[in-house]
Every structure is written in structure tokens, then in C-alpha cells.
Amino acid sequence: MEKRLEVWDRPGVCGLDNSGNFCYFNAVLQCVCSTVPLVEYLLHPDTRKELARAKCQVAQVFVRLLEQMWLGRSSSCAPVEARSLLCSILPQFNNDSQQDAQELLLLLFNALHDDLKKVGRRKTHSSKHLIQDQDRKCATGLGESTIVSKLFEGSFSYVTVCMRCDHKTHNTQTFTVLSLPIPTHISKCSIQDCLSPFFEQTLLTGAERMLCSACELRKETALVTFLDKPPEILVLHLKRFGCKGKNQVKLRTNVTFTTELDLSLFLSSSAQKTSCTFYRLYAVVNHIGHLNMGHYTALCHNTLTRTWHCFDDSAVRELHDNHVQSPDAYVLLYSCKPFRKPKIPGL
Ligand SMILES: [Zn+2]
């Protein structure tokens, strides 16, 4: 079912050389490379001009790497510049030890978001009211909107109910990665089994009880979470690295998933009318092996070939749809809008 590719003519399908212990970095970069709306934005000639003017160094490194991966004609490349950028902006990754791909993904999104904010600020100088108008429309917890927050940021609403006086409070919180605890007492469960507890009503007791602002007493509190604004791109992180007593362990529960995900059960009533409900899987980060001796690979769907590929550093092979689901899945990336053939100049 799986075959190694001989002739290389697949834009966006490019292995990444690994000179050290950087498989976690390569796996994350492959997920970024297959996020079509992000790639289109970064490789658009207008964006590139803006990035140069605003001196967005982080984003420009991504641009150069994505250009190689989408427009280069070789089956792999060396992400040397991206790696030295990573080590300079996130010094905690400047060593040869195995790191957490999910943590890196989140920090890279933040770094890219912060860098891209310079473009908006520059524009604010030249055409002030135009940008202020846009900012009001895309107000988020991150303050300023960029392609990163536009694609990846979602929000929850929490409703708490005082069990004594029924007083309700509403709060919201934004997120870019949804970290899901996985059941430990069973060997197999579905992704829905991981999502449901996150959105189930829970009763806060003991030290978790909240102080009610109406009756001014600390009584048992009911807590319900809804997805208020589902993100355009949903990143699910399966919390495989946990603790058993004092020991750190890797949880090996086989979490089953399909390429389609329906979130309608978890949406708030206002979100149900307008927002994304159905998602399609387009990338997976796998973690193989043990807690400290593991290896990361990425499985990504390519919109041109309409097939999946497995990226194991510089080695790339096509993968049958049936082999995407595996017990090694660690981070799952879904999009609610189907990716089209990317509009990249020169493609
Ligand atoms: Zn109360």
C-alpha cells in the first residue's frame, strides 16, 4: 500500500534533513507547510513586500523555507536557517535533547503572531482609521489580529452556576491548541471520548468551589464549557505525557479518529448558527516510542496530489488514507474549510 517515490514533482511534499535530534521540529514544520491558507498568505507577493518593510525576521525565515518546500525541485531540504532562528528566539530548544512538538507548535505560532503584528502596526501609521475598523471586527484575546490568530484562535465560554442561589456568571477564554486528557483506564477510545469530558457539566466541590458574587458564599458550583468561536483551524493535542505517581509516563491509549470531525455537540447556541461545525483532518504529528527515547514523524495531506504523505525527517513516502489513523497520534490538525489548490506565484 505504501510506496517510496522515485521522481520528484510534488510541490509541498519535501522532506527535512535532521542533523541532530530535531525530529520534533521537522514534524511541526511539515504541519505548517501543509496549512494552505497560511502558506498562501506568507508567499503572496504583497505580504512579502510588507514583511520586508516591517522587518519581520521570523516570518521571512518561514517564507524562505516554505518557498523551498513548495517551489523547490528536490525531495528534501535542510531547514538550517529556521533551526538557528528557533534557537535564537526560543533558547530552551537550543540543545540536542528531545522536546515536546506540541509545546514547540504553540510557541512558534506565538512567535510568528508577534512578528506579524509589526505589519499591522506599520499600516496603522499610514492609514489609521482603516486598520482600527478591521481591528474592531477581529477583536481577539491576543489584541491585534494576524493571519495566525485569524486561522488558529478560537474561544470558549464558561458558565458557572452557584448551587445555592442559582446565580450565573459568563466568562470567555481564547485558545490556539486544545489539550485533551486521554482516558487511562482503557486501551482504546475515540477522539469524541476525549472531547466530551472537556465539555461536560462538572460540579466543583471542596477547594474548587467558587465564591459567588451574589450570595457571597463559597458553595458548590456547576461549570459548563461551550465552544463559542470554533477556530477555522482546530489543533487537538492528546495529552500522552502525564504522571503516574511521581513517575512521568507516556499514555499509550489508542485514540481512534477519522478524517472528519463534527463539533456541533459542543458549540454554544450562538455559535451553532454561524460557525464552523464540520472539520477535515489535514495533518497529524505522531510520537513513536518511549517518553525520552521517542521519535516524531508527521503525516500531511497534500492538496495537489490529494494524497497523504508520511514525513520521517528527510524520508518521505506516500501513505494510504487507511494508515493515517494510528495509536501514535499526538497532535491533530483539522480545517473547517476544505483546502483548495494553493495560489502560489510560480506554482
Ligand atoms: Zn450564590
Side-chain angles (χ1 to χ4, degrees), residues 21-32 62 86 90 92-93 95 97-110 152 176-179 235-241 250 283-288 290-292 294-299 311 313 328-333:
N21 201 0
F22 277 98
C23 58
Y24 67 96
F25 184 52
N26 288 347
V28 165
L29 288 179
Q30 291 295 355
C31 295
V32 173
F62 275 98
L86 170 80
L90 300 166
Q92 66 268 43
F93 293 98
N95 56 60
S97 56
Q98 173 81 268
Q99 306 265 0
D100 186 345
Q102 177 272 145
E103 197 186 323
L104 173 70
L105 184 71
L106 194 59
L107 291 170
L108 273 187
F109 282 161
N110 286 343
F152 296 97
T176 39
V177 173
L178 206 52
S179 286
V235 184
L236 298 181
H237 160 224
L238 302 175
K239 290 168 86 172
R240 292 205 176 277
F241 303 118
K250 180 179 172 184
V284 181
V285 175
N286 280 342
H287 184 269
I288 302 148
H290 302 287
L291 185 70
N292 295 314
H295 180 59
Y296 284 103
T297 60
L299 314 181
F311 297 89
D313 291 323
D328 299 320
Y330 180 53
V331 180
L332 305 163
L333 291 93

XYZ file of all heavy atoms in Angstrom, residues 21-32 62 86 90 92-93 95 97-110 152 176-179 235-241 250 283-288 290-292 294-299 311 313 328-333:
563
model
N 18.907 16.066 16.884
C 17.749 15.418 17.476
C 16.528 16.308 17.235
O 15.784 16.610 18.151
C 18.018 15.228 18.972
C 17.133 14.151 19.561
O 16.323 13.552 18.860
N 17.269 13.914 20.844
N 16.368 16.733 15.967
C 15.373 17.759 15.661
C 14.120 17.209 14.975
O 13.447 17.942 14.261
C 15.999 18.853 14.781
C 16.759 19.873 15.579
C 18.126 19.794 15.723
C 16.078 20.923 16.188
C 18.823 20.742 16.462
C 16.756 21.873 16.925
C 18.134 21.779 17.066
N 13.810 15.928 15.199
C 12.628 15.368 14.525
C 11.355 16.082 14.966
O 10.431 16.257 14.181
C 12.528 13.873 14.780
S 12.438 13.422 16.515
N 11.310 16.537 16.231
C 10.114 17.243 16.717
C 9.912 18.550 15.959
O 8.790 18.946 15.639
C 10.211 17.506 18.236
C 11.293 18.481 18.640
C 10.996 19.818 18.851
C 12.620 18.059 18.793
C 11.992 20.721 19.198
C 13.611 18.942 19.136
C 13.300 20.278 19.337
O 14.282 21.164 19.671
N 11.025 19.219 15.628
C 10.989 20.482 14.882
C 10.531 20.228 13.440
O 9.654 20.924 12.919
C 12.381 21.116 14.933
C 12.470 22.466 14.287
C 11.596 23.483 14.621
C 13.464 22.735 13.351
C 11.692 24.741 14.031
C 13.572 23.987 12.763
C 12.677 24.990 13.104
N 11.114 19.205 12.809
C 10.749 18.878 11.428
C 9.275 18.498 11.307
O 8.605 18.889 10.357
C 11.633 17.730 10.907
C 13.063 18.185 10.653
O 13.342 19.388 10.629
N 13.977 17.239 10.472
N 8.777 17.742 12.276
C 7.368 17.315 12.233
C 6.443 18.530 12.313
O 5.447 18.616 11.594
C 7.080 16.340 13.373
N 6.803 19.492 13.166
C 5.990 20.703 13.307
C 6.053 21.542 12.023
O 5.038 22.041 11.545
C 6.457 21.512 14.543
C 5.898 22.924 14.528
C 6.034 20.798 15.825
N 7.251 21.659 11.439
C 7.388 22.429 10.191
C 6.557 21.823 9.060
O 5.984 22.545 8.251
C 8.859 22.508 9.768
C 9.776 23.400 10.602
C 11.205 23.342 10.041
C 9.298 24.848 10.621
N 6.462 20.488 9.020
C 5.645 19.850 7.978
C 4.177 20.225 8.131
O 3.472 20.421 7.140
C 5.797 18.318 8.029
C 7.176 17.802 7.618
C 7.515 18.075 6.154
O 6.690 18.572 5.382
N 8.745 17.770 5.773
N 3.716 20.343 9.375
C 2.318 20.735 9.610
C 2.089 22.179 9.147
O 1.057 22.500 8.563
C 1.953 20.601 11.086
S 2.000 18.901 11.659
N 3.064 23.049 9.411
C 2.962 24.446 8.964
C 2.932 24.485 7.437
O 2.124 25.185 6.823
C 4.150 25.277 9.511
C 4.151 26.683 8.916
C 4.100 25.348 11.037
N 10.297 31.827 7.648
C 9.251 30.885 7.229
C 8.989 30.991 5.725
O 8.819 29.989 5.043
C 7.948 31.136 8.000
C 7.897 30.449 9.331
C 8.196 31.129 10.499
C 7.560 29.106 9.421
C 8.156 30.482 11.731
C 7.518 28.453 10.640
C 7.818 29.149 11.798
N 15.013 29.340 15.441
C 14.364 28.720 16.598
C 15.241 28.830 17.844
O 14.779 29.225 18.912
C 14.084 27.240 16.286
C 13.620 26.387 17.469
C 12.147 26.620 17.724
C 13.880 24.910 17.226
N 13.878 31.036 20.818
C 13.414 30.156 21.890
C 14.602 29.337 22.402
O 14.789 28.182 22.021
C 12.300 29.228 21.369
C 11.037 29.917 20.817
C 10.176 28.946 20.026
C 10.218 30.534 21.944
N 15.283 27.724 24.900
C 15.051 26.428 25.556
C 15.153 25.254 24.579
O 15.270 24.105 24.993
C 13.701 26.410 26.294
C 12.449 26.511 25.434
C 11.968 27.943 25.229
O 12.749 28.865 24.989
N 10.666 28.135 25.303
N 15.103 25.563 23.251
C 15.230 24.499 22.263
C 16.659 24.389 21.716
O 16.928 23.611 20.819
C 14.253 24.733 21.099
C 12.814 24.607 21.513
C 12.053 25.729 21.804
C 12.225 23.356 21.644
C 10.728 25.602 22.196
C 10.902 23.217 22.039
C 10.150 24.347 22.319
N 19.405 22.889 22.233
C 20.189 21.761 22.725
C 19.774 20.522 21.949
O 18.863 20.581 21.125
C 19.973 21.564 24.231
C 18.500 21.398 24.556
O 17.851 20.476 24.060
N 17.965 22.302 25.365
N 18.465 17.715 23.084
C 17.542 16.759 23.700
C 16.179 16.785 23.013
O 15.805 17.750 22.360
C 17.409 17.041 25.198
O 17.015 18.371 25.389
N 15.477 15.695 23.175
C 14.136 15.548 22.597
C 13.191 16.550 23.258
O 13.203 16.698 24.473
C 13.665 14.119 22.883
C 12.256 13.837 22.500
C 12.138 13.543 21.010
O 11.898 14.454 20.224
N 12.321 12.307 20.635
N 12.410 17.249 22.455
C 11.488 18.235 23.009
C 10.065 17.911 22.606
O 9.834 17.081 21.732
C 11.871 19.627 22.504
C 13.314 19.997 22.771
C 13.494 20.791 24.056
O 12.537 21.073 24.767
N 14.733 21.157 24.358
N 9.147 18.609 23.237
C 7.729 18.359 23.005
C 7.239 19.121 21.758
O 7.281 20.347 21.718
C 6.944 18.796 24.247
C 5.475 18.428 24.153
O 5.008 18.109 23.048
O 4.803 18.458 25.188
N 6.783 18.383 20.755
C 6.346 19.007 19.495
C 5.154 19.941 19.703
O 5.056 20.978 19.057
C 5.990 17.920 18.481
N 4.267 19.579 20.607
C 3.081 20.410 20.842
C 3.474 21.756 21.433
O 2.961 22.804 21.036
C 2.115 19.644 21.772
C 0.871 20.377 22.165
C 1.046 21.241 23.409
O 0.459 22.301 23.497
N 1.861 20.805 24.352
N 4.413 21.710 22.379
C 4.880 22.944 23.022
C 5.551 23.843 21.977
O 5.332 25.054 21.939
C 5.883 22.549 24.105
C 6.151 23.618 25.127
C 7.266 23.168 26.078
O 7.320 21.965 26.422
O 8.081 24.025 26.446
N 6.357 23.220 21.117
C 7.027 23.985 20.063
C 6.022 24.626 19.107
O 6.149 25.797 18.755
C 7.988 23.077 19.283
C 8.599 23.746 18.049
C 9.589 24.831 18.457
C 9.267 22.740 17.133
N 5.007 23.854 18.710
C 3.984 24.362 17.786
C 3.343 25.627 18.355
O 3.209 26.645 17.679
C 2.932 23.278 17.550
C 1.822 23.587 16.541
C 2.363 23.593 15.128
C 0.696 22.559 16.638
N 2.978 25.553 19.622
C 2.329 26.688 20.279
C 3.262 27.898 20.343
O 2.863 29.024 20.039
C 1.919 26.252 21.694
C 0.946 27.124 22.452
C -0.354 27.260 21.686
C 0.664 26.507 23.824
N 4.531 27.669 20.704
C 5.491 28.767 20.822
C 5.829 29.364 19.452
O 6.013 30.575 19.329
C 6.765 28.288 21.534
C 6.585 27.958 23.018
C 7.817 27.264 23.572
C 6.264 29.204 23.835
N 5.883 28.508 18.430
C 6.146 29.027 17.079
C 4.994 29.887 16.574
O 5.207 30.925 15.956
C 6.399 27.884 16.103
C 7.819 27.353 15.959
C 7.888 26.355 14.819
C 8.841 28.462 15.745
N 3.764 29.450 16.846
C 2.594 30.261 16.479
C 2.665 31.621 17.162
O 2.413 32.648 16.541
C 1.288 29.568 16.894
C 0.850 28.463 15.979
C -0.055 27.512 16.414
C 1.320 28.367 14.674
C -0.476 26.484 15.584
C 0.907 27.349 13.838
C 0.000 26.401 14.302
N 2.993 31.621 18.449
C 3.090 32.881 19.198
C 4.173 33.787 18.625
O 3.967 34.990 18.477
C 3.383 32.616 20.680
C 2.153 32.088 21.393
O 1.037 32.204 20.892
N 2.353 31.493 22.552
N -6.086 30.249 13.670
C -5.949 29.249 14.735
C -6.643 29.594 16.048
O -6.746 28.751 16.919
C -4.456 28.993 15.032
C -3.714 28.390 13.880
C -2.980 29.176 13.015
C -3.765 27.024 13.658
C -2.286 28.620 11.937
C -3.086 26.457 12.603
C -2.345 27.256 11.739
N -5.446 28.435 21.225
C -4.956 28.076 19.893
C -4.745 26.564 19.778
O -4.817 26.020 18.686
C -3.628 28.779 19.533
O -2.801 28.810 20.686
C -3.849 30.180 19.053
N -4.468 25.912 20.894
C -4.335 24.456 20.901
C -5.268 23.931 21.986
O -5.267 24.444 23.103
C -2.880 24.017 21.199
C -2.797 22.504 21.362
C -1.933 24.468 20.092
N -6.064 22.911 21.641
C -6.963 22.316 22.618
C -6.286 21.059 23.167
O -6.094 20.091 22.435
C -8.266 21.956 21.908
C -9.548 21.887 22.692
C -9.761 23.148 23.499
C -10.720 21.681 21.739
N -5.882 21.096 24.443
C -5.189 19.958 25.057
C -6.204 19.042 25.728
O -6.903 19.463 26.640
C -4.179 20.451 26.099
O -3.067 21.013 25.449
N -6.569 22.725 16.355
C -5.415 21.895 16.711
C -5.745 21.146 17.999
O -5.994 21.770 19.034
C -4.143 22.751 16.920
C -2.936 21.855 17.185
C -3.880 23.647 15.709
N -5.793 19.822 17.907
C -6.071 18.999 19.085
C -4.782 18.322 19.544
O -4.074 17.716 18.742
C -7.118 17.916 18.774
C -8.507 18.381 18.359
C -9.414 17.164 18.128
C -9.127 19.301 19.406
N -4.497 18.450 20.831
C -3.297 17.847 21.420
C -3.743 16.756 22.391
O -4.488 17.031 23.325
C -2.522 18.970 22.156
C -1.553 18.476 23.187
N -1.443 19.050 24.433
C -0.647 17.463 23.149
C -0.508 18.422 25.125
N -0.011 17.465 24.381
N -3.315 15.522 22.128
C -3.653 14.429 23.039
C -2.586 14.376 24.131
O -1.406 14.186 23.828
C -3.698 13.099 22.271
C -4.696 13.056 21.108
C -4.565 11.751 20.339
C -6.127 13.238 21.613
N -3.012 14.564 25.367
C -2.039 14.659 26.471
C -1.496 13.269 26.824
O -1.917 12.650 27.783
C -2.685 15.332 27.682
C -2.955 16.817 27.434
C -3.839 17.427 28.478
C -3.067 17.904 29.694
N -3.949 18.658 30.615
N -0.535 12.828 26.008
C 0.051 11.497 26.213
C 1.130 11.489 27.292
O 1.484 10.439 27.800
C 0.671 10.977 24.908
C -0.336 10.656 23.841
C 0.195 9.635 22.860
N -0.832 9.287 21.896
C -1.782 8.382 22.113
N -1.806 7.716 23.248
N -2.691 8.128 21.199
N 1.695 12.665 27.551
C 2.775 12.687 28.537
C 2.199 13.138 29.869
O 1.854 14.295 30.063
C 3.905 13.601 28.074
C 4.450 13.194 26.740
C 4.373 14.036 25.643
C 5.004 11.937 26.562
C 4.853 13.647 24.401
C 5.480 11.529 25.326
C 5.407 12.388 24.243
N 4.335 7.818 29.435
C 3.646 8.074 28.173
C 2.393 7.196 28.148
O 2.469 5.984 28.335
C 4.551 7.728 26.990
C 3.845 7.977 25.658
C 4.708 7.665 24.454
C 3.860 7.760 23.191
N 4.598 7.377 21.983
N -3.451 17.161 8.906
C -2.087 16.845 9.353
C -2.119 16.195 10.739
O -3.005 16.479 11.544
C -1.221 18.105 9.387
N -1.150 15.313 10.967
C -1.027 14.623 12.254
C 0.445 14.585 12.640
O 1.294 14.314 11.791
C -1.537 13.155 12.167
C -1.426 12.454 13.511
C -2.962 13.086 11.646
N 0.745 14.895 13.888
C 2.095 14.659 14.413
C 2.027 13.358 15.192
O 1.193 13.211 16.085
C 2.561 15.805 15.344
C 3.921 15.466 15.973
C 2.647 17.121 14.586
N 2.884 12.410 14.818
C 2.943 11.141 15.549
C 4.140 11.123 16.479
O 5.200 11.669 16.145
C 3.095 9.969 14.568
C 1.770 9.580 13.930
O 0.697 9.937 14.436
N 1.840 8.853 12.840
N 3.978 10.508 17.633
C 5.121 10.250 18.509
C 5.253 8.748 18.675
O 4.342 8.071 19.129
C 4.941 10.926 19.878
C 6.140 10.749 20.765
N 6.264 9.691 21.632
C 7.276 11.483 20.880
C 7.433 9.795 22.267
N 8.063 10.865 21.827
N 6.423 8.247 18.267
C 6.665 6.804 18.283
C 7.682 6.510 19.382
O 8.641 7.271 19.540
C 7.235 6.353 16.910
C 6.239 6.730 15.801
C 7.519 4.856 16.882
C 6.901 7.053 14.489
N 9.290 5.619 23.254
C 9.151 5.898 24.683
C 9.170 7.387 24.975
O 9.438 8.214 24.111
C 10.273 5.196 25.457
C 10.278 3.721 25.240
N 9.336 2.894 25.800
C 11.096 2.940 24.497
C 9.574 1.647 25.409
N 10.644 1.653 24.617
N 8.950 7.668 26.265
C 8.889 9.046 26.740
C 10.132 9.851 26.343
O 10.035 10.915 25.744
C 8.743 9.013 28.270
C 8.532 10.316 28.991
C 7.147 10.854 28.677
C 8.669 10.119 30.489
N 11.315 9.359 26.660
C 12.542 10.121 26.397
C 13.333 9.629 25.191
O 14.264 10.269 24.744
C 13.456 10.086 27.631
C 12.803 10.792 28.790
O 12.259 11.886 28.645
N 12.815 10.145 29.954
N 11.894 8.731 22.187
C 10.915 8.634 21.113
C 11.356 9.302 19.826
O 12.463 9.841 19.721
N 10.479 9.259 18.850
C 10.763 9.852 17.550
C 9.467 10.443 16.999
O 8.407 9.849 17.127
C 11.303 8.773 16.602
C 11.626 9.284 15.239
N 12.542 10.301 15.017
C 11.147 8.931 14.017
C 12.611 10.534 13.713
N 11.771 9.726 13.086
N 9.578 11.652 16.423
C 8.394 12.299 15.845
C 8.383 12.169 14.330
O 9.423 12.307 13.679
C 8.399 13.791 16.179
C 8.012 14.134 17.594
C 8.978 14.477 18.539
C 6.675 14.147 17.987
C 8.616 14.819 19.842
C 6.304 14.490 19.276
C 7.283 14.833 20.198
O 6.924 15.168 21.471
N 7.200 11.923 13.774
C 7.001 11.992 12.327
C 5.735 12.823 12.083
O 4.977 13.079 13.013
C 6.802 10.593 11.692
O 5.652 9.988 12.290
C 8.015 9.708 11.884
N 5.529 13.248 10.834
C 4.308 13.986 10.506
C 3.613 13.312 9.326
O 4.275 12.831 8.400
C 4.641 15.431 10.150
N 2.299 13.266 9.376
C 1.500 12.788 8.258
C 0.709 13.982 7.743
O 0.000 14.614 8.525
C 0.520 11.689 8.698
C 1.072 10.568 9.587
C -0.033 9.567 9.911
C 2.236 9.865 8.899
N 6.125 11.949 6.624
C 7.419 12.642 6.646
C 8.212 12.181 7.867
O 7.842 12.483 9.001
C 7.208 14.157 6.712
C 6.495 14.720 5.522
C 5.106 14.801 5.495
C 7.195 15.156 4.403
C 4.438 15.315 4.387
C 6.537 15.673 3.291
C 5.161 15.750 3.289
N 11.620 12.860 8.906
C 12.757 13.728 8.570
C 12.897 13.841 7.042
O 11.958 14.240 6.405
C 14.032 13.256 9.268
C 13.941 13.477 10.787
O 13.372 14.507 11.204
O 14.417 12.631 11.555
N -0.116 6.111 17.505
C 0.981 7.054 17.771
C 0.546 8.518 17.673
O 1.345 9.409 17.972
C 2.119 6.828 16.762
C 2.696 5.424 16.849
O 2.847 4.929 17.980
O 2.973 4.827 15.798
N -0.697 8.779 17.249
C -1.147 10.164 17.031
C -0.984 10.995 18.299
O -1.342 10.559 19.395
C -2.602 10.173 16.586
N -0.433 12.182 18.127
C -0.153 13.055 19.282
C -0.796 14.431 19.115
O -1.386 14.960 20.046
C 1.367 13.168 19.453
C 1.785 14.041 20.601
C 1.289 13.824 21.888
C 2.691 15.093 20.425
C 1.664 14.630 22.956
C 3.078 15.893 21.480
C 2.561 15.657 22.740
O 2.936 16.460 23.782
N -0.661 15.020 17.917
C -1.306 16.305 17.628
C -2.068 16.160 16.304
O -1.535 15.605 15.340
C -0.273 17.458 17.500
C -0.976 18.780 17.187
C 0.557 17.593 18.774
N -3.321 16.632 16.290
C -4.157 16.511 15.090
C -4.555 17.899 14.624
O -4.992 18.718 15.435
C -5.424 15.708 15.402
C -5.226 14.310 16.013
C -6.512 13.815 16.652
C -4.776 13.350 14.948
N -4.418 18.175 13.332
C -4.803 19.485 12.797
C -5.963 19.321 11.811
O -5.859 18.548 10.849
C -3.613 20.176 12.101
C -2.481 20.631 13.028
C -1.413 19.567 13.135
C -1.849 21.919 12.531
